[in-house]
Amino acid sequence: MAAYILRRILLMIPTILGIMAISFAVVQFAPGGPVEQVIAKVTGQGGDAAERISGGGNDAGGSFDAGGESSKYRGAQGLDPEFIAKLEKQFGFDKPPLERFGIMLWNYLRFDFGESYFRDISVLDLILEKMPVSVSLGLWITLISYAISIPLGIRKAVKDGSTFDVWTSGIVIIGYAIPGFLFAILLMVLFAGGSFWDWFPLRGLTSENWTQMSWPDRILDYFWHLTLPLTAMVLSAFATTTLLTKNSFLDEIRKQYVVTARAKGLSEHRVLYGHVFRNAMLIVVAGFPGAFISAFFTGSLLIENIFSLDGLGLLGFRSILDRDYPVVFANLYIFSLLGLFISLLSDLTYTWIDPRIDFDRRDV
């Protein structure tokens, strides 16, 4: 097992290198870089980040006259070339792309992500500041979805083909087909003061006077704010796990050892939970780390934007619009690294649940 873990860790190096290299190359051609963002503000073209993008990337685009000299930045006409040079030095664009990429990788190896371009704070502190919101969403949605899907999946397997199985399958499939962000908007309209009832808050994870509340009131306030976001996310989150649990149990129930256990006179409950459960839940439980990291980041991106929850999803979205590249690349690096380690953890969970699995005998 040690050799397998070592091979997997070594494979992470070219994987993370490839992810960062492709992303860095794409950014070089993205229009409206940080230098152009500042130029837009200086020349009075500021506003929403998306509206300020007028074409031409950091190293691409047409040439314009800036103080009588050629400039590669759109909108730099009439600006002092020394001012443009200072901007390039401030954002690190005075160096060749390969040198910048090498410096970035060296810093990231030491978890030095620098400072945000447009916020007076280090990137690591900014990520740690926003993390509690995303952790709350990711943790609760994973726990709730597993708490619903596992019992429901087992029940569907036991009642396979019955009216209960058919109706619940229809509900699960419909829930999975409805986009989470669309359901979130519907919840806002119905229960957040849109057109009907004003029962839940529209934004934020806590109330403004949260620090002045007693601990019981804080807990209630916290879950009061989480109700609508979690409801929107859980609708489709438990569908895949429910069907996976059902199919896993059906596969195990039809095997010979189950027939033998029943022939020995064991009760159905003993057969189901004493023999079938451990084998059937192997793939479901092993997928828990991956489900958490998925809900932690990708699953909460739109929900955080809709409900104005100041988490990593909203941070990443705004950083992309503002071309705040240190924040964008730090998020990408951290979550790519987490994803790779979570994948390894999932494999190790398989061996913990079922010691018969031996990855050392298989190719990576």
Side-chain angles (χ1 to χ4, degrees):
M1 180 55 66
Y4 172 77
I5 295 175
L6 179 61
R7 290 199 302 269
R8 287 291 299 271
I9 292 176
L10 291 176
L11 280 174
M12 292 179 186
I13 298 175
T15 303
I16 196 73
L17 181 63
I19 293 173
M20 300 304 295
I22 293 173
S23 302
F24 185 85
V26 170
V27 161
Q28 304 312 302
F29 300 97
V35 175
E36 289 175 326
Q37 297 281 344
V38 176
I39 290 173
K41 292 181 180 179
V42 170
T43 57
Q45 303 172 24
D48 184 75
E51 295 176 358
R52 295 198 300 265
I53 300 171
S54 55
N58 299 328
D59 302 308
S63 295
F64 300 89
D65 180 65
E69 296 185 14
S70 175
S71 175
K72 57 189 175 183
Y73 299 107
R74 198 175 291 271
Q77 301 94 320
L79 295 179
D80 187 351
E82 292 185 2
F83 172 71
I84 302 298
K86 288 181 179 179
L87 287 180
E88 289 182 329
K89 185 175 182 179
Q90 176 183 346
F91 294 119
F93 293 127
D94 57 327
K95 301 180 179 66
L98 285 178
E99 183 179 349
R100 285 190 278 122
F101 181 68
I103 293 173
M104 183 184 72
L105 288 181
W106 171 246
N107 290 334
Y108 280 19
L109 285 174
R110 297 177 288 124
F111 286 90
D112 178 9
F113 302 112
E115 291 195 358
S116 167
Y117 282 163
F118 305 111
R119 300 175 178 90
D120 189 20
I121 185 174
S122 72
V123 174
L124 188 58
D125 289 340
L126 186 61
I127 291 175
L128 292 176
E129 178 185 316
K130 310 298 182 183
M131 189 171 289
V133 174
S134 296
V135 169
S136 294
L137 290 175
L139 180 62
W140 285 115
I141 194 61
T142 305
L143 293 177
I144 292 173
S145 64
Y146 268 69
I148 295 174
S149 59
I150 292 177
L152 180 58
I154 294 174
R155 185 67 175 174
K156 286 173 63 62
V158 174
K159 298 290 186 179
D160 184 43
S162 66
T163 304
F164 173 82
D165 180 42
V166 173
W167 278 100
T168 53
S169 293
I171 294 173
V172 167
I173 293 172
I174 292 174
Y176 184 74
I178 298 176
F181 73 90
L182 187 62
F183 190 58
I185 295 173
L186 176 63
L187 291 175
M188 290 177 62
V189 172
L190 291 176
F191 303 111
S195 301
F196 296 89
W197 302 280
D198 189 8
W199 292 350
F200 297 96
L202 187 59
R203 58 177 56 87
L205 198 60
T206 56
S207 300
E208 293 182 0
N209 62 335
W210 189 78
T211 55
Q212 303 172 3
M213 298 179 181
S214 63
W215 277 108
D217 289 338
R218 288 186 183 186
I219 295 173
L220 290 176
D221 182 75
Y222 169 73
F223 284 106
W224 181 49
H225 282 75
L226 275 179
T227 300
L228 293 187
L230 289 181
T231 303
M233 295 176 68
V234 79
L235 184 67
S236 59
F238 72 90
T240 302
T241 310
T242 298
L243 297 178
L244 183 62
T245 303
K246 175 192 173 182
N247 293 333
S248 297
F249 266 79
L250 283 178
D251 288 341
E252 293 297 324
I253 288 173
R254 294 165 181 168
K255 290 183 178 179
Q256 186 61 43
Y257 75 90
V258 177
V259 177
T260 303
R262 286 172 175 165
K264 290 181 178 179
L266 296 179
S267 65
E268 191 66 21
H269 185 274
R270 180 71 181 277
V271 171
L272 190 61
Y273 293 98
H275 295 271
V276 176
F277 186 83
R278 180 176 180 177
N279 295 327
M281 291 304 296
L282 173 63
I283 190 171
V284 178
V285 175
F288 182 87
F292 171 69
I293 199 66
S294 177
F296 179 42
F297 185 64
T298 57
S300 63
L301 174 58
L302 291 175
I303 300 300
E304 287 184 14
N305 278 275
I306 291 172
F307 289 100
S308 298
L309 298 174
D310 199 10
L312 292 176
L314 186 60
L315 173 66
F317 176 74
R318 289 177 175 172
S319 299
I320 291 173
L321 291 182
D322 294 339
R323 302 301 190 266
D324 198 347
Y325 292 145
V327 179
V328 174
F329 282 121
N331 269 296
L332 178 66
Y333 179 80
I334 290 173
F335 282 99
S336 297
L337 207 57
L338 276 176
L340 292 172
F341 275 105
I342 288 296
S343 176
L344 175 59
L345 181 60
S346 295
D347 288 347
L348 297 180
T349 307
Y350 277 110
T351 62
W352 174 66
I353 297 175
D354 189 350
R356 295 172 299 176
I357 298 177
D358 187 2
F359 287 108
D360 281 333
R361 298 179 181 178
R362 302 175 57 188
D363 294 332
V364 179

